[in-house]
Amino acid sequence: MLSEVLLVSAPGKVILHGEHAVVHGKVALAVALNLRTFLRLQPHSNGKVGLNLPNIGIQRVWDVAKLQMLDTSFLKQGDVTALTPEQMEKLKEVAGFPEDCADHEHLAVLSFLYLYLSICQSQRALPSLDIAVWSELPTGAGLGSSAAYSVCLAAALLTACKEIPNPLKDGEAASRWTEESLELINKWAFQGERVIHGNPSGVDNAVSTWGGALRYQQGKISSLNRPPALKILLTNTKVPRSTKALVAGVRSRLLKFPEIVAPLLTSIDAISLECERLLGEMAAAPAPEHYLVLEELIDMNQHHLNALGVGHASLDRLCQVTMAHGLHSKLTGAGGGGCGITLLRPDLERPEVEAMKQALTSCGFDCWETSIGAPGVSVTRPPPWTPLSGKPWMASEMKPPRHEAPSRSSWALELSSVPASGHPAPDADREAPSPSVTPFPLAMPPGPQSESGGPEAMSVFYNVLWSRRAVGPCGVL
Ligand code: MEV
């Protein structure tokens, strides 16, 4: 078991095309967002294992000795297959949760317990440790917050248990794991996602693990071949929804009307393939007509998603408002509310974009500015002001730059050039994410850390590293 503090982060994602269809074996195109989830793992020897999730108000502590006595033989170490309903019931028993618990707070804890008990089975005794996870991503909005959570947990636990080597070398500020380690992280993260979502396709955890821009189909992952720089506005309708319920809804519609729904899924697949082809063509020689076709694809997909039953009045509103400004939008992720994306053509004048953002904001939506094609899961050296002695971060030791509220309520998302490797190209001209532009308030873990501003400082620290290219667009420089 490692004895040092681990700081891990993983990105959220945006699906350009293919949500829902990807659950049924079709292609999805997805890109990593530069909004991240951060995890801090601190080993100790107090006989406890603690989980602190400030964004959703969870703080739990278990006695390691008690967990050790439970029969967890149903979790086979290294067995990375879907949990059966019986295994899921057993896990709830271990957690002391009611059988019918299905809210995301309970599921987040179950996912942690599952990964902790399964991955740490390799140890002689279950390790005593504290884990805090906090995020810049809104939960349940279609931006892959649960996948980023599962990826951070899998990466940190596998590293702490020495199932994969810690890639951080002496003198390095940040690093990424090898391809082989990423495969294992992704496999376990998928399991964590299964505990939360039931039957996910695996696209969200894949993007969060590898970062960049990906094509995903039935577990087969490949990088988009140098997609062009696309500007996209990301809007959160703030309507809460459940991915699990929406995915189940599409499944039952498919079972009820196979002749009608299967062709919709096939058509969405064709949209993803056409978009992929077009992005390739645009990389070679971008032309204004390409944007018109991309807009047509967005409209067609949005209609299909509505026909699948995953639309929402708030998303219709988003599409109408952007259409009134001559722009085209679709939902991203599971739908039913959550987030939508709007393509910003390069010919757009700034005032037009500002006017549209204003109109969206007055609907009660949040829109904001970031870049996509961000690095996948990374490990970062603890900030120099963080004591490695095992003490929690204290206010006196933390002098982070002040976090300021975003000055604008809207932001544009840029899909920057990404090479075939799946990781964004090192790009000297790339604008680093500004530490002061954070679209969501960062919740702090309660207790000493909340006084310290530790998690907030960590997010800022990561962004500063990125801006200094210590965590390059490739993750490591
Ligand atoms: C959720 O981000 C995307 C869905 O296609 C579900 C999945 O792929 O697991 C709706």
Side-chain angles (χ1 to χ4, degrees), residues 13 15 18-23 142 144 199-204 243 247 333-334:
K13 64 91 198 23
I15 295 185
E19 48 273 275
H20 288 289
V22 68
V23 176
N199 183 29
S201 63
V203 63
D204 293 8
T243 298
V247 168

Side-chain angles (χ1 to χ4, degrees), residues 301-363:
N301 198 355
Q302 177 62 14
H303 287 304
H304 286 347
L305 288 161
N306 273 323
L308 290 179
V310 297
H312 188 270
S314 62
L315 292 163
D316 293 343
R317 186 92 193 96
L318 162 65
C319 292
Q320 285 156 8
V321 169
T322 57
M323 187 54 83
H325 290 82
L327 295 174
H328 300 247
S329 308
K330 67 174 275 292
L331 66 87
T332 185
C339 284
I341 53 174
T342 308
L343 182 66
L344 299 177
R345 291 186 313 267
D347 62 299
L348 281 171
E349 299 291 338
R350 193 72 336 235
E352 289 175 78
V353 179
E354 290 303 326
M356 183 183 63
K357 292 197 294 194
Q358 190 55 51
L360 289 169
T361 308
S362 48
C363 294

Side-chain angles (χ1 to χ4, degrees), residues 14-31 201-204 206-207 213-225 262-279 297 301 304-305 308 330 333:
V14 164
I15 295 185
L16 298 178
H17 287 293
E19 48 273 275
H20 288 289
V22 68
V23 176
H24 303 276
K26 310 297 188 199
V27 169
L29 305 181
V31 293
S201 63
V203 63
D204 293 8
V207 185
L214 302 179
R215 171 200 217 265
Y216 182 94
Q217 185 175 26
Q218 292 186 310
K220 267 184 59 197
I221 302 156
S222 56
S223 307
L224 287 192
N225 205 5
L264 286 175
L265 299 176
T266 306
S267 178
I268 292 176
D269 193 48
I271 289 173
S272 297
L273 295 178
E274 179 62 10
C275 180
E276 186 186 11
R277 192 192 64 74
L278 212 62
L279 293 177
L297 296 179
N301 198 355
H304 286 347
L305 288 161
L308 290 179
K330 67 174 275 292

